[in-house]
Structure formats: C-alpha cells, structure tokens
Amino acid sequence: AAALTTYRHLVERPAFVEYFLTTTPIAEIESLPIGSRPSRRGGQGRRESLSELRAIPWVFAWTQSRLLIPAWYGMGSGLTRWAEANDNGWEKLQEMYRSWPFLRATVDNAELALAKADVDIAQQYAQLMEDEQMREQVWPLIAAEFERSRDAVLALSGNTALLTGVPWLQSSIQQRNPNVDPLNMVQVNLLRRLWDLADVGDESAEETLRDLIRLSIQGISAGMRTTG
C-alpha cells in the first residue's frame, strides 16, 4: 500500500505527464514501425494523458532515459515504511527475503533494474525540461526514491553493492556502460535540438533529427541488451 501511494504520488502530479513527454524519447518510440498494436489503446489517444498509453512504450521510454522507473519506483518507500512500523522490521524482511521465493524474485528483479539505471545520465534527460519549477516537482522525487529503493534492496540482500551476488551480471553491466553512456548523451543532444526546432517549422531538419534519434534508440537498446 505504501509503495502504491508513493508511485501514484509521482505519476499523478500535474507536471508529470509533461515531464515524461519532454525528458524521454517517447514521441519517437511511438512512431517506430514495430509491434502488432498501436502504442495507445483506441489509436493515438490523447498526448496529454497516460491513461491510454500501453505498457511497452511506457517501459521502453524509461529504459532509454536510464531510469527504468516501472521496475522499482515505490519499492524503497514500501519496504522502509513496513520495516519502521514493525519491531525488528528489517530483520523480519531479511528472513522473508531468504525464505519467500515471491518476495526474493520481486526484489531481485528490482535490483537488476536499479543496477542498469544511472541517475547521473537520467539527470541529463531531466534538464530537457527547461521549466525549472515544473522539473523540480518531479526530478527530486525520482532521485530520492532511487536512493531509498537501492538502500532497501541492499538491506534485504545484505550486499554492499547492487548485484554483488551475481558478479558476472554486475561485471557485464559495468563493462558495457562506457559504450552506452555516450549514446545517451548523443540522444539528449538530439532531443534538445529537435525541441529547439519545434517553432521553426523546418520539416526537413526535423525528419533528419528524428532519424538520428531512432538510430540512438536502437543503439541504446542494443547496448543495454533490453528495450525494457
């Protein structure tokens, strides 16, 4: 219940939809000629609403911006509040993690997403929202919940770093990140240039940038070995 409340507190904020549309390549993902169904239920739907957006483009966009929010957001608050509300709460959660396959699988999946996420890269995407007041309604919540979720996952596993218990996977992510990070920075630059052209009306330049953004999406997906 606490995790759900935390998640809804983020996605129902007035600035959140604009944040999502501005700081991820969702517009280009929706235009990609992939999948058997449109990205939104009932056709294209309303851009100012998330209610009709399908799960795949939603997760895909957050993966591209290196946040992977759907995989972990709210977990840190949920676990922390439960632990604080119960005597020896963290010890009880650790025992449940060791003995309850469902909880262990859920936490391990979140740990993998947290390990693939990169807050520093994601903050560069956040800067694409030029309205600082609106940005500050969203970004600090994301950054704080990331730390809270990472710390909660480590508290349950007893590890000192994410994926310490799966060293080959930890090493794989560490080795490929130096190749993916520059692609993210290129994508941020391309998105900023595309937004700057919005009021110019140069359709040829816009299409060139969109083609390059699509290539960056493909490259980041290949480098991270996932679309989300």
Side-chain angles (χ1 to χ4, degrees):
L4 175 60
T5 299
T6 300
Y7 189 86
R8 301 309 306 182
H9 180 66
L10 174 71
V11 301
E12 293 176 356
R13 298 186 73 79
F16 182 78
V17 173
E18 184 64 23
Y19 182 91
F20 175 62
L21 296 176
T22 305
T23 66
T24 74
I26 180 60
E28 306 315 312
I29 289 172
E30 288 191 274
S31 71
L32 290 173
I34 58 176
S36 59
R37 299 180 295 177
S39 62
R40 292 176 181 268
R41 297 174 183 85
Q44 289 304 305
R46 294 184 298 116
R47 295 281 299 158
E48 68 274 14
S49 171
L50 299 177
S51 61
E52 296 175 342
L53 185 68
R54 293 189 189 276
I56 290 175
W58 166 253
V59 178
F60 197 161
W62 289 118
T63 303
Q64 286 284 304
S65 64
R66 300 292 288 277
L67 275 176
L68 295 87
I69 278 178
W72 55 265
Y73 197 92
M75 175 173 281
S77 291
L79 292 172
T80 300
R81 291 181 195 176
W82 193 93
E84 292 175 350
N86 291 271
D87 293 337
N88 302 316
W90 286 113
E91 289 81 358
K92 292 177 181 178
L93 284 172
Q94 289 168 350
E95 174 58 29
M96 284 192 282
Y97 175 76
R98 289 190 293 267
S99 61
W100 187 15
F102 173 78
L103 180 63
R104 187 180 185 96
T106 302
V107 172
D108 287 352
N109 283 338
E111 181 180 17
L112 175 58
L114 288 162
K116 288 185 175 182
D118 190 309
V119 174
D120 292 331
I121 295 291
Q123 190 169 21
Q124 298 303 310
Y125 282 86
Q127 298 302 312
L128 290 169
M129 175 171 261
E130 295 182 351
D131 188 323
E132 183 177 359
Q133 186 175 7
M134 293 185 71
R135 184 173 68 242
E136 289 302 305
Q137 293 181 41
V138 178
W139 172 251
L141 295 179
I142 294 174
E145 185 63 19
F146 177 87
E147 293 187 7
R148 196 175 295 116
S149 296
R150 179 197 58 204
D151 292 347
V153 166
L154 293 176
L156 263 64
S157 68
N159 294 327
T160 57
L162 295 171
L163 294 181
T164 297
V166 194
W168 68 267
L169 185 53
Q170 181 188 58
S171 176
S172 175
I173 292 173
Q174 291 172 348
Q175 289 182 40
R176 63 178 182 254
N177 276 355
N179 297 309
V180 180
D181 294 351
L183 291 174
N184 281 114
M185 300 312 297
V186 168
Q187 188 178 87
V188 168
N189 181 263
L190 291 170
L191 289 169
R192 181 174 287 111
R193 290 167 61 185
L194 183 62
W195 304 158
D196 290 342
L197 279 176
D199 298 325
V200 176
D202 189 338
E203 294 184 4
S204 177
E206 284 190 24
E207 190 55 37
T208 297
L209 286 172
R210 292 185 190 282
D211 287 342
L212 292 171
I213 291 170
R214 291 171 191 138
L215 286 173
S216 72
I217 290 172
Q218 183 178 4
I220 292 168
S221 298
M224 294 187 68
R225 302 183 68 180
T226 182
T227 61

